[in-house]
Amino acid sequence: MRRFFSRVLLSALVLAPAAALLTGCGPGGAQGAGNVAATAAELKWEELIPKSWDPTKRYRNISLEALRDNDPIAIQMLDEMRAVWDNAPVNVALDGKAARLSGFVVPLDATQDGIREFLLVPYFGACIHTPPPPANQIVHVIAPAPVKGLHAMDTVYVSGTLKAARFNSVDMGVSGYEIASAAVERFTPKQPQ
């Protein structure tokens, strides 16, 4: 339990640096609604979090090393933290805005034709290999048509109208945002000059 709790908190601390690595890189080939992609402001993941929200505040004075794997206090803290993360507030100022965001794909539907619906997350392994990030760090993406050749944990840019909308994927986590009719582009890092 101690390792799990440490990983969950470490995941929270990794969000900002992981998002910073993705921001500012160039786009690949577009699929989807191109008009919004051209006018959308590129967001950083930390902009999706309201400035006043700090889910780690109550855990700062707790010594994680003192907690045992089966400690009822540790189990209760994990349950409380998961509830706080699943109900994380969104940045309402972004609701209805054209936005562009880079991240990793967590498929919700995979067919021979491609992936049409997925969660966009800020760091590799989120929702699949690690606990889901807070809801304000997960975007539910719905493309107008399946995107061919897209796989779990591929990096992409997603553009469209960002909506504050909860979506609960039983297996993968709770998202706080949605982009429907999304333009999905392959992520291609800038080449050094």
Side-chain angles (χ1 to χ4, degrees):
M1 184 63 66
R2 183 175 5 161
R3 275 193 225 135
F4 176 75
F5 191 68
S6 296
R7 276 190 278 164
V8 170
L9 285 178
L10 182 61
S11 294
L13 298 174
V14 171
L15 290 175
L21 288 174
L22 289 173
T23 327
C25 296
Q31 284 197 11
N35 292 349
V36 175
T39 61
E42 187 167 341
L43 295 177
K44 296 180 182 172
W45 282 95
E46 56 267 17
E47 293 176 80
L48 302 178
I49 303 170
K51 292 188 186 317
S52 61
W53 189 67
D54 183 3
T56 63
K57 184 173 27 181
R58 69 178 297 198
Y59 303 109
R60 288 196 184 129
N61 295 325
I62 297 172
S63 174
L64 296 178
E65 295 79 28
L67 298 175
R68 300 281 176 219
D69 289 349
N70 60 351
D71 188 335
I73 294 171
I75 294 168
Q76 179 184 354
M77 287 173 56
L78 281 172
D79 290 343
E80 289 171 6
M81 187 175 64
R82 184 73 261 156
V84 167
W85 281 24
D86 286 348
N87 293 295
V90 297
N91 183 346
V92 293
L94 298 175
D95 189 32
K97 303 282 185 188
R100 184 170 191 235
L101 192 63
S102 57
F104 295 88
V105 172
V106 176
L108 295 175
D109 72 343
T111 66
Q112 285 181 303
D113 295 329
I115 296 172
R116 183 173 176 265
E117 189 175 357
F118 60 92
L119 300 178
L120 187 70
V121 295
Y123 55 90
F124 186 86
C127 302
I128 293 176
H129 300 299
T130 64
N136 57 23
Q137 293 292 281
I138 302 176
V139 179
H140 179 216
V141 177
I142 305 164
V147 181
K148 291 193 179 290
L150 197 58
H151 303 285
M153 290 296 122
D154 280 353
T155 44
V156 294
Y157 278 116
V158 172
S159 302
T161 302
L162 189 67
K163 297 277 186 191
R166 297 271 169 193
F167 174 78
N168 188 355
S169 167
V170 176
D171 297 331
M172 301 299 178
V174 177
S175 62
Y177 295 97
E178 176 184 276
I179 298 178
S181 299
V184 180
E185 306 172 58
R186 294 259 177 223
F187 178 87
T188 308
K190 287 183 180 177
Q191 298 300 318
Q193 300 282 339

